[in-house]
Amino acid sequence: MASFIRKTLLHVETTHIEGGKGAAVPLKLIAAIAVLKNPWAGRGFVEDLKPEIHAVAPVLGELLTKMIIDAAGSGEAVEAYGKSAVVGLNGEIEHASALIHTLRFGNHYRTAVGAKSYLAFCNTRGPANAPIMIPLMDKNDEGRRSHYLTIQCAVPDAPAADEIVVALGASIGGRPHHRIGDRYQDLKELGHDVANPAAV
């Protein structure tokens, strides 16, 4: 384990009943979380973030991806995915963004699950026990609304003011009783092109 990681957590949530109706296939949500020292903490404004990104992001990407795959059973089992970071109150939003918005972090996960879509994301700042919000979407189909999901959890003692919480999220399955269709039906009804959904 890297010396800058204080602890890791695995959050697994399984939904069997939604809206008072049993799910034909239970929805499983998985979050792999790491709490680490903010590598830029106490240094004032740091212009060049690259050295720490290159040193830290690949380690986090590899570690959290392994936690997700171990919990899911395989990369193929993961249907939707996302990422999130929460920086402590003495840090910048840019510090949270720096560690997750790099291919050195995300490509570990993307490759392991065989994904085509970009990783949905959230980056925020907060105190210990701040909500960790991990938006998810289908790993291969950005318009598949059944897999527009959000994992919400928290770490009671993190992030400290000089820490960052970094997380990956996954779903096995989509929302039970999904019934709002996919974005392609909207595009067809509105006469818009998939490549230009806003028709601008």
Side-chain angles (χ1 to χ4, degrees), residues 37-167:
K37 174 83 171 178
N38 181 340
W40 302 285
R43 296 171 53 190
F45 185 85
V46 179
E47 186 65 41
D48 183 6
L49 306 181
K50 278 188 179 180
E52 292 77 20
I53 292 171
H54 291 187
V56 176
V59 175
L60 291 174
E62 183 177 5
L63 171 67
L64 296 176
T65 295
K66 183 178 186 311
M67 290 172 64
I68 290 281
I69 300 305
D70 287 350
S74 69
E76 292 75 22
V78 172
E79 296 179 25
Y81 71 162
K83 59 187 177 181
S84 183
V86 183
V87 67
L89 294 178
N90 288 353
E92 300 175 40
I93 292 291
E94 194 73 357
H95 298 163
S97 301
L99 295 181
I100 64 170
H101 296 307
T102 169
L103 297 180
R104 290 170 173 81
F105 175 77
N107 273 1
H108 289 278
Y109 195 18
R110 193 173 290 107
T111 300
V113 301
K116 298 175 184 175
S117 302
Y118 68 88
L119 275 156
F121 64 88
C122 182
N123 31 251
T124 58
R125 178 170 44 225
N129 210 38
I132 302 166
M133 309 292 286
I134 313 173
L136 309 178
M137 69 177 179
D138 187 284
K139 68 181 183 181
N140 292 318
D141 185 350
E142 297 168 10
R144 190 181 181 195
R145 288 184 180 144
S146 59
H147 287 60
Y148 292 172
L149 295 153
T150 304
I151 299 172
Q152 181 174 339
C153 55
V155 182
D157 68 344
D162 63 349
E163 290 183 326
I164 303 176
V165 173
V166 175

